[in-house]
């Protein structure tokens, strides 16, 4: 069966994990309505109050441990497995729900809550218990440098070259569950459009980048993503 698209890039955000029970950032009573970015999600915050930042991420890690992937994560894994061309999923989310649903060609551009990073040696280890500011790195033995392996504001997101290379050659770009507030992720739709890709937004409501999308379907991810994936898999 002919498929309209060869190379698909998918960008996901917190809205994809909302129905799994994880808070988004900018919705009503979202994460940024409870804590300030400057206090918990910048390198300066970590220097100023390491235990306060670690307590924030310890809480997020504990939450993400008890939740399951939802029907939208599962549909995206089916798309990757069933689509004859390439499918790359780039997620802004630090939760492990995409991989637990079966997605394998995946980039966590803002890092992962399941990994800890040592500021002293750059080594990574599983973030498998609450971190405290005087913990010892299992690799270098130094104390006090362990942080969650997430990208804070003012830090460079991961694997940007690989992402831009994929955006420059994709023919379909799908943005799911993101408000389009945070750069450079919010600029990806313009990159894909510039490369000639068709751009589609699947989100609860129009995002900041809505004007860049050829098509937009608004609704809950667990409802609209499986329908859209079935359409793609049937050559749509
Ligand atoms: C960089 C990891 C430069 C941690 C995150 C001033 C100073 C410094 C930087 C800047 C500045 N001004 C601008 C910047 C750039 C800054 C930025 O963009 N700021 C914004 C706020 C203006 N960006 C950065 O700092 C980035 N780095 O620029 O580096 C540089 C250059 C060279 C060399 C070195 C450095 C780094 C940004 C990454 C920050 N880390 N997360 C953590 O998770 O704690 S960002 C954070 O926001 C999450 O990753 C999150 O994913 C991301 C985006 O949020 P969304 O996913 O979109 O979530 P949101 O709640 O906003 O929206 C949810 C959407 O889902 C909504 O639209 C909603 O309608 C929808 N939804 C809800 N429920 C459902 C649903 N949809 C479907 N179904 C549902 N059920």
């Amino acid at each position: 069966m002919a498929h309209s698209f060869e190379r698909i890039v998918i960008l996901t955000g917190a809205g994809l994990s909302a129905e799994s029970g994880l808070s988004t950032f900018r919705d009503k009573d979202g994460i940024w309505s409870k804590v300030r970015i400057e206090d918990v999600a910048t390198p300066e915050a970590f220097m100023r109050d390491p235990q306060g930042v670690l307590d924030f991420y310890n809480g997020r890690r504990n939450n993400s441990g008890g939740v399951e992937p939802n029907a939208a994560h599962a549909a995206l894994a089916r798309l990757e497995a069933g689509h004859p061309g390439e499918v790359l999923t780039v997620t802004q989310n630090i939760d492990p729900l995409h991989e637990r649903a079966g997605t394998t060609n995946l980039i966590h551009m803002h890092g992962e809550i399941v990994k800890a990073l040592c500021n002293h040696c750059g080594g990574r280890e599983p973030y498998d218990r609450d971190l405290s500011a005087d913990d010892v790195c299992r690799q270098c033995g130094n104390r006090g440098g362990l942080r969650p392996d997430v990208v804070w504001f003012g830090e460079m997101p991961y694997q940007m070259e690989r992402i831009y290379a994929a955006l420059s050659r994709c023919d379909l770009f799908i943005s799911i569950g993101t408000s389009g507030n945070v750069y450079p992720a919010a600029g990806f739709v313009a990159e894909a459009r510039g490369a000639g890709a068709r751009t589609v937004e699947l989100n609860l409501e129009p995002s900041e980048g809505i004007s860049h999308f050829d098509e937009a379907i608004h609704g809950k991810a667990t409802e609209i993503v499986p329908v859209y994936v079935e359409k793609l898999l049937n050559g749509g």
Side-chain angles (χ1 to χ4, degrees):
M1 172 188 314
H3 281 81
S4 342
F5 303 104
E6 281 307 304
R7 288 178 299 280
I8 303 174
V9 173
I10 302 165
L11 173 68
T12 65
L16 186 78
S17 299
E19 290 164 89
S20 293
L22 292 181
S23 302
T24 63
F25 290 88
R26 293 171 186 84
D27 286 329
K28 189 177 53 60
D29 70 26
I31 292 174
W32 298 145
S33 72
K34 296 191 169 65
V35 283
R36 290 175 345 121
I37 287 175
E38 301 73 27
D39 293 339
V40 295
T42 66
E44 294 75 18
F46 185 64
M47 301 294 285
R48 190 171 55 242
D49 175 16
Q51 195 55 54
V53 170
L54 293 177
D55 290 345
F56 171 65
Y57 284 97
N58 288 339
R60 299 244 331 257
R61 186 186 71 83
N62 291 322
N63 288 344
S64 71
V67 297
E68 296 299 321
N70 61 51
H73 293 104
L76 295 179
R78 276 200 308 278
L79 178 60
E80 180 190 275
H83 183 71
E86 285 169 49
V87 177
L88 172 66
T89 302
V90 180
T91 188
Q92 299 172 87
N93 300 338
I94 61 176
D95 64 54
L97 296 179
H98 273 302
E99 43 275 66
R100 287 184 48 202
T103 290
T104 55
N105 195 20
L106 174 67
I107 295 177
H108 276 278
M109 66 177 289
H110 291 162
E112 299 176 69
I113 194 72
V114 295
K115 289 181 187 166
L117 174 65
C118 175
N119 267 342
H120 297 298
C121 70
R124 286 179 169 79
E125 60 184 61
Y127 182 1
D128 51 9
R129 72 283 183 211
D130 283 358
L131 283 178
S132 67
D134 59 358
D135 275 344
V136 171
C137 169
R138 291 175 189 158
Q139 328 228 0
C140 69
N142 285 310
R143 187 178 293 280
L146 283 176
R147 58 173 277 183
D149 185 17
V150 302
V151 176
W152 283 325
F153 287 91
E155 294 185 322
M156 180 57 88
Y158 292 151
Q159 301 198 51
M160 290 303 292
E161 298 218 338
R162 186 174 154 211
I163 295 170
Y164 282 118
L167 291 169
S168 68
R169 26 198 307 277
C170 74
D171 50 10
L172 177 62
F173 176 80
I174 313 170
S175 177
I176 306 177
T178 180
S179 64
N181 273 288
V182 174
Y183 288 83
F188 290 172
V189 58
E191 289 291 322
R193 198 178 174 81
R198 178 169 176 71
T199 55
V200 180
E201 169 172 282
L202 307 180
N203 204 53
L204 191 61
E205 60 205 5
S207 73
E208 294 294 313
I210 186 66
S211 61
H212 295 290
F213 289 95
D214 298 313
E215 182 184 2
I217 302 170
H218 294 131
K220 287 187 166 185
T222 56
E223 290 162 15
I224 62 178
V225 176
V227 169
Y228 188 74
V229 164
E230 286 323 300
K231 187 179 135 217
L232 284 179
L233 288 174
N234 296 322

